[in-house]
Amino acid sequence: MKKQIHVYYVGRVQGVGFRYTAEDLAREMGVSGWVKNLRDGRVELVVEAEEDALKNFLHRIEEVFSSYIGNKDVAWLAATGEFEDFQIRF
């Protein structure tokens, strides 16, 4: 069953290729949604996929950026089906 996660990453997560890496990983793993930088220095991420795919996606993000992520706030939600692909939002 598809689910959605809404994540805010805190730390030194801007200016390190976070959005472009998230986009590459999402496309590689078949995850849809979006990512964007926020004015307060956080990165916001919304993705939908099967639960296992979401867990693997989060794990891969955290592997790559473990030294940059200070904290994260993850909310698990019901999938909306609104996303066809993955995008970087500005």
Side-chain angles (χ1 to χ4, degrees), residues 46 71 82:
V46 176
N71 198 4
E82 66 187 284

Side-chain angles (χ1 to χ4, degrees), residues 4-9 18-26 31-38 42-48 54 57-62 65 69 72-77 83 86-89:
Q4 182 184 99
I5 53 173
H6 191 160
V7 187
Y8 291 97
Y9 288 101
F18 194 104
R19 293 173 299 159
Y20 297 100
T21 302
E23 180 182 43
D24 288 345
L25 288 173
V31 173
S32 60
W34 54 267
V35 64
K36 76 176 189 177
N37 285 344
L38 300 176
R42 295 179 298 160
V43 170
E44 182 178 13
L45 175 75
V46 176
V47 289
E48 289 190 354
L54 292 175
F57 177 76
L58 287 178
H59 178 73
R60 296 276 306 273
I61 290 282
E62 290 166 19
F65 293 104
I69 297 170
K72 69 178 188 261
D73 180 20
V74 181
W76 286 84
L77 309 163
F83 308 115
F86 190 89
Q87 300 175 352
I88 296 174
R89 292 190 176 173

Side-chain angles (χ1 to χ4, degrees), residues 1 29 49-57 76:
M1 186 167 88
M29 300 175 79
E50 297 294 325
E51 185 174 350
D52 287 343
L54 292 175
K55 287 179 180 178
N56 288 335
F57 177 76
W76 286 84

